[in-house]
Amino acid sequence: MSSQISSPLPTPAPTVDSRIWAALAVAVATQTTGSFVSQGIYILVPFWREAFGVSLASASLAVTVMNGVQIATMFMLGRAIDIHGERRIVGIAMLGMAIAMACAATFANRLPALLVCIAFLGGTYAAVQPGGTRAIMRWFPPAKRGIATGFRQAAVPLGTMIAAALLPFMAVRYGWHAAAWLCAGVSLTGGALFWGLYREGGDVAAKTERPLPLVELVCIVGQDRSFWPVLRLGIAMSAFQFTLTAHVIGFMADGLGLGLFVASSMFAGTQLAGIPGRILLPWLSDRFRPGLRGQSFGLVSVIAACAAAFLALLPIGTPLPVILLVLVILGIFGIGWFPLYLLQIAESAPKGSIASTIAFASTICLAVMALGPYLFGLLVDHFGYGAAWSALIAPVVVTALPLATPPRLATQRKM
């Protein structure tokens, strides 16, 4: 009789569902089309000013209305996504954006009618950010969420660049109505793509848990010790990025003596650098600092603040390559920070309230984005660029340093 010792079968290595990359491709394409349309509103403002014979401030109300309604509807749509799923709500939202731009192209012969259409556009676009981030959270394991979020967030400047290339050409060649129709077609394509190809992820808890009411949600996420520090830094960085976008061209043109054309051309390098920055920074964080995403966010923010301070101190006559180098660093870190922040906020959320948590945090950041450029301009008018730069950079440094500082390992001191 022979005895046979059975050896345990080798445990197969965990495999990553190949469908996650298809889900990511759909999410990136949807975010690109959404950014094309929403950022296209900024690009079309000068054409509306000319078409309706109004002041620049009046034409810019389109941007104000879009952002204002987006703030008002963000949390409601995030909660709807948690209840009904991102496929349904984002698909309907993209269809709503297409309808808004089609109505603008068809019926908006005066500014008030246009503003009504843009208000509807802003209210529906508010679903794209929380829906896309929830998709990443549900499809991707923690080790791959950084790179996935980076690719999806890189779609924001990518969509903006495509809109900046196509919409002015359409508006000059065929009129702004044609540009609006193009926006409608792009949004409809994005919505059809998301509705037709995207499928809900397999996170059972996220499917079955009911989203929490706002007050209860804030109490729950606030129990995570990293949530409020990360949110405070996210608020400071939101003001930093969008104020920089609004005013750095004017600062370089006047304060550094470059002129508007050269300053605008060089600032394009900042936006271009932001695209790989949004991919590389979260990948580097997950690859070399796993589990320390909040600390990575703090370090990235400190570098961005230092680059801005260096730019503010440059004298007139600084060689252009030096200025361009600073702008590229600002683009990588001053734009690339967002995926780190967004993912850290999402991972603090209860499973059934991921989109609601993202929407809550994004609503606060949107409000700061709207106020930051105005307050910076007031400080420049009354106290000069020095005071304005200090007021912009100081909150970033104050909120980033506690996150960037490595935690003390108290256990090593025990004997």
Side-chain angles (χ1 to χ4, degrees):
M1 184 172 70
S2 64
S3 62
Q4 184 176 8
I5 301 175
S6 60
S7 59
L9 294 174
T11 303
T15 59
V16 177
D17 191 343
S18 61
R19 294 178 300 168
I20 67 175
W21 304 113
L24 177 61
V26 174
V28 169
T30 304
Q31 182 65 68
T32 302
T33 58
S35 297
F36 179 99
V37 179
S38 64
Q39 298 303 303
I41 303 305
Y42 292 80
I43 295 166
L44 291 174
V45 164
F47 299 96
W48 288 327
R49 176 191 183 187
E50 181 179 351
F52 299 126
V54 298
S55 66
L56 181 59
S58 296
S60 298
L61 284 174
V63 174
T64 304
V65 166
M66 179 181 69
N67 290 331
V69 178
Q70 188 178 351
I71 291 171
T73 60
M74 177 77 75
F75 183 77
M76 177 187 67
L77 286 173
R79 186 173 170 81
I81 290 168
D82 284 326
I83 295 173
H84 301 291
E86 57 266 27
R87 176 173 176 259
R88 181 182 302 177
I89 301 301
V90 173
I92 293 173
M94 295 291 289
L95 175 61
M97 292 173 64
I99 292 172
M101 293 308 294
C103 289
T106 305
F107 304 113
N109 295 320
R110 299 178 64 183
L111 183 60
L114 175 71
L115 295 181
V116 172
C117 297
I118 299 305
F120 188 73
L121 170 70
T124 50
Y125 177 66
V128 176
Q129 183 68 269
T133 305
R134 186 177 188 258
I136 297 298
M137 291 292 295
R138 293 179 64 180
W139 272 102
F140 282 81
K144 294 184 180 297
R145 287 174 184 166
I147 188 67
T149 304
F151 270 108
R152 198 185 78 82
Q153 288 305 126
V156 177
L158 176 61
T160 304
M161 288 180 60
I162 298 172
L166 294 181
L167 292 181
F169 170 78
M170 292 290 294
V172 170
R173 188 75 178 267
Y174 304 106
W176 74 263
H177 294 86
W181 277 116
L182 177 60
C183 288
V186 168
S187 184
L188 185 62
T189 301
L193 184 70
F194 198 76
W195 183 273
L197 299 181
Y198 179 77
R199 294 296 179 267
E200 303 286 346
D203 192 332
V204 176
K207 289 181 178 180
T208 58
E209 291 185 12
R210 298 291 295 176
L212 300 173
L214 178 58
V215 175
E216 187 177 350
L217 175 64
V218 172
C219 292
I220 294 295
V221 297
Q223 294 175 6
D224 186 329
R225 289 188 301 173
S226 68
F227 179 79
W228 293 115
V230 168
L231 179 60
R232 285 193 291 267
L233 180 54
I235 293 169
M237 284 299 293
S238 296
F240 176 88
Q241 178 184 337
F242 282 85
T243 301
L244 193 75
T245 300
H247 289 284
V248 73
I249 292 175
F251 168 74
M252 291 191 296
D254 299 331
L256 298 181
L258 298 183
L260 281 174
F261 178 76
V262 175
S264 300
S265 300
M266 294 187 68
F267 183 65
T270 305
Q271 299 298 311
L272 187 61
I275 297 177
R278 288 196 166 190
I279 299 172
L280 289 175
L281 293 181
W283 177 79
L284 290 171
S285 175
D286 284 353
R287 178 68 177 82
F288 298 105
R289 304 182 68 81
L292 297 174
R293 192 176 291 116
Q295 190 181 98
S296 299
F297 178 31
L299 290 170
V300 165
S301 301
V302 169
I303 295 172
C306 290
F310 190 79
L311 178 67
L313 294 173
L314 291 178
I316 294 178
T318 300
L320 293 183
V322 174
I323 300 174
L324 184 59
L325 176 62
V326 177
L327 291 174
V328 169
I329 295 173
L330 268 176
I332 294 173
F333 294 95
I335 296 176
W337 65 275
F338 191 67
L340 292 169
Y341 162 73
L342 192 64
L343 197 51
Q344 188 69 19
I345 291 293
E347 290 180 341
S348 302
K351 288 291 186 181
S353 300
I354 294 173
S356 300
T357 305
I358 297 164
F360 165 71
S362 298
T363 298
I364 300 174
C365 291
L366 278 170
V368 174
M369 290 175 195
L371 290 174
Y374 175 72
L375 296 176
F376 187 93
L378 283 180
L379 288 173
V380 171
D381 290 340
H382 289 86
F383 303 104
Y385 273 110
W389 280 114
S390 299
L392 183 65
I393 295 170
V396 173
V397 175
V398 169
T399 53
L401 285 178
L403 283 172
T405 304
R408 294 184 178 181
L409 302 178
T411 54
Q412 292 182 356
R413 299 174 63 92
K414 295 181 179 181
M415 298 294 296

